[in-house]
Amino acid sequence: MISLENITKSFGNSNAVSNVSFSVPEGSFLVLLGPSGCGKSTMLRMLAGLDQPTSGKMQFGDTLVADGNTGHSLPPADRNAGLVFQSYALWPHMTVAGNIEWPLKVAKLPTEERRARVLEVMEMLGIEKLANRYPGEISGGQQQRVALARMIAPRPKVMLFDEPLSNLDATLRVEMRFELLKVHAATGATAVYVTHDQVEAMTMATHVAVMNNGRIEQFDAPDRLLAEP
Ligand code: ADP
Ligand code: ADP
């Protein structure tokens, strides 16, 4: 569903991402794993359309989303992709329900449809009681649930995560792993998840891309990765 062909991203004369190719089927949970500075965020930003590859091609299904050779790049809003960052980036002046509804307003969905979607995703994440609270009034874990709900409300085909659990304490981080996998399974979307945490990668991924210095060093299912030397 997501396929990359010889993707390179240069900043000046150094490559943040070097000649990366892979493809994963629809519904996969791909983890990009590697140390700080290896190019994970740059990969995610290119998938989101926030950065353009210097060369190479990127496809979502049959859609060519970016081609560094021609300069073609589908705008972020047209990629059917949702993004969750480490910081929750909720609007502080909007309620929980208002935050979740916001991307649906941007997409100009009718009011009734918006209301139904907001309720549906709040229930999926167990935050319906928080509907009328403001982000400043709820916990970090609850805020991350709201961010997740807001991301899935427009029903993206691709979900992009940049270290979404790294601000949470250890117990909550484990709990949210399962929450996130549950949401991913319920939606059938294809996920790309950036982390430097090996345990997270091994417990969540269907596919792991081990990155180092802008390159993919290993690409495999997590159990096969462990079996390698
Ligand atoms: P990671 O997410 O794995 O920590 P990044 O994708 O943020 O890695 O960075 C990969 C490399 O690209 C690093 O060497 C970083 O300094 C460089 N880099 C990232 N963004 C920029 C930029 N906007 N300008 C110049 N260099 C950048
Ligand atoms: P407003 O847009 O008037 O500021 P809110 O921020 O409270 O209202 O809510 C935004 C939208 O979220 C509402 O228009 C409604 O569609 C939906 N919504 C609000 N509260 C709930 C709720 N308890 N259950 C389901 N949907 C809700």
Side-chain angles (χ1 to χ4, degrees):
M1 196 278 168
I2 297 181
S3 76
L4 272 60
E5 201 185 307
N6 303 119
I7 289 287
T8 293
K9 175 66 181 179
S10 314
F11 291 109
N13 50 16
S14 73
N15 289 347
V17 170
S18 292
N19 205 32
V20 163
S21 303
F22 63 76
S23 83
V24 289
E26 188 169 357
S28 303
F29 197 106
L30 169 64
V31 172
L32 303 180
L33 175 68
S36 177
C38 73
K40 306 182 297 294
S41 296
T42 303
M43 284 281 297
L44 209 68
R45 291 177 55 80
M46 287 193 286
L47 289 163
L50 302 173
D51 250 338
Q52 313 318 326
T54 308
S55 60
K57 286 183 188 180
M58 198 174 268
Q59 299 230 152
F60 290 174
D62 294 333
T63 308
L64 179 67
V65 293
D67 185 343
N69 308 315
T70 62
H72 165 76
S73 178
L74 206 61
D78 297 339
R79 291 188 179 205
N80 212 348
L83 198 51
V84 175
F85 294 102
Q86 179 173 337
S87 57
Y88 321 115
L90 301 174
W91 297 108
H93 61 289
M94 285 185 196
T95 63
V96 163
N99 266 279
I100 298 169
E101 189 190 24
W102 177 72
L104 305 177
K105 278 188 173 166
V106 173
K108 298 193 163 55
L109 256 67
T111 309
E112 280 312 303
E113 175 76 15
R114 294 203 305 261
R115 192 178 298 273
R117 293 263 193 115
V118 169
L119 197 58
E120 175 190 298
V121 297
M122 286 195 304
E123 279 171 356
M124 192 186 285
L125 283 145
I127 52 173
E128 60 278 28
K129 289 197 172 64
L130 305 176
N132 300 316
R133 309 275 285 278
Y134 287 87
E137 303 170 340
I138 62 178
S139 72
Q142 290 170 334
Q143 288 181 46
Q144 197 52 305
R145 282 171 199 261
V146 177
L148 205 52
R150 182 180 60 180
M151 192 267 279
I152 63 173
R155 300 189 178 153
K157 297 283 282 179
V158 173
M159 299 177 169
L160 305 171
F161 299 98
D162 197 351
E163 310 237 12
L165 309 183
S166 56
N167 279 346
L168 305 177
D169 68 49
T171 311
L172 205 51
R173 210 178 304 148
V174 173
E175 188 186 315
M176 284 304 291
R177 269 186 219 154
F178 291 104
E179 198 65 32
L180 220 141
L181 286 177
K182 194 184 80 182
V183 166
H184 171 252
T187 58
T190 306
V192 182
Y193 185 100
V194 161
T195 185
H196 59 263
D197 183 329
Q198 277 195 35
V199 177
E200 228 167 74
M202 295 305 162
T203 51
M204 299 181 78
T206 58
H207 302 71
V208 182
V210 181
M211 292 191 70
N212 199 7
N213 212 359
R215 297 179 184 279
I216 292 186
E217 295 199 321
Q218 295 183 68
F219 188 93
D220 223 329
D223 53 334
R224 294 171 57 113
L225 215 56
L226 286 172
E228 285 169 21

